[in-house]
Amino acid sequence: MTPTSNAKIPVTIVTGFLGSGKTTLLRHILGNAEGRRIAVIVNEFGELGIDGEILRGCGIGCDDDGNERAGALYELANGCVCCTVQEEFLPVMLQLAERRGDIDAVLIETSGLALPKPLVQAFQWPDIANIFTVDSVVTVVDGPAAASGQFAANPAAVDEARRADPNLDHESPLHELFEDQLSAADLVVLNKTDLMDDAARAQVEALVREELPPEVKIVAATQGKLPLALLLGQGRAAEASIHLRESHHDHEEDHDHDEFDSLVIELPPVDRDSLLAVLARLVEQHTIYRVKGFVAIPGKPMRLLVQGVGRRFDHHFDRRWRDGEAQRTRLVFIGEDLDEGALRKALQEASAVAAA
């Protein structure tokens, strides 16, 4: 249904930790929109628009001939949304407001390092308060990663400490971020449940439930596949009550992500098996939380999409290299105290094998 001139446009904010499946959830929503006209704002952490590329790859923001439509996909690439709202968020929302007759809903995917509360509070700004409302905040949780404690610096130690005393792992900045993303939630999607046994799922549900009020539901999902009636149209008006939800950053004037590094490494074509072996070794030797990027494989006309969170890596060929497109490997690493020289040296092993 098209909003009337007096109806506010509902905004669904999708948040969640690194690699939780936010982009997959957006794909599902947009692939099953059933005529809803949905504007998408994609936020990035890092120097490459990797997630935006993934979204374009499945046809979001394209016309029937595969040509990109101007204004259909907004990418904010200068940090998390809550850090850049004064510079980019407001102009984008005002652009959408000018097209309010063409929009039924807005989806905002935050960075995996974003704090959702300041973003929700931004919808109280007078310039947009009468045009948009936060229909809900949907927090996506990577079930297997949460079960193994991979949002913390030392997953094995944290998992052991949590069994002894659930409060101890709150000292990790990653766990505080995890809690803050849950504190803003109107709905929690426990994702990737097909990769969990019953005991692990019960463990994560208990962990998440401790951070939520009773009225916030936890729903299980595989690849974000849930009924749109559950994800959209909740009518929470979250901006009106977000001040009641406590977070770890409530008393800070500002926040940053100094504990996280983000770097990009570009390489020539690499050997796939050697690359995956090197990446597996690097996440054991360095504090790397997330790896994502596109890989050129010698002799292959398709580019390889690689995504890793913790020790788990997924990869598949997503599309053919376009005519004139440089066939190169570009990887984004997110972690703590990353040594670019050491990472690059290790990755050159995969390039050397490919060149041999």
Side-chain angles (χ1 to χ4, degrees), residues 60 68 92 134 144 202 268 297 356:
I60 297 170
E68 188 176 346
V92 168
V134 180
I297 307 295

Side-chain angles (χ1 to χ4, degrees), residues 80-127:
C80 68
V81 168
C82 57
C83 291
T84 62
V85 288
Q86 292 182 346
E87 299 170 11
E88 292 190 41
F89 174 74
L90 182 58
V92 168
M93 296 308 296
L94 291 177
Q95 289 179 42
L96 294 180
E98 292 176 357
R99 299 173 52 185
R100 63 185 303 175
D102 301 324
I103 297 171
D104 299 319
V106 177
L107 287 177
I108 299 178
E109 177 189 354
T110 73
S111 145
L113 303 178
L115 301 174
K117 186 172 182 177
L119 176 58
V120 177
Q121 291 173 320
F123 283 87
Q124 299 170 349
W125 292 351
D127 288 335

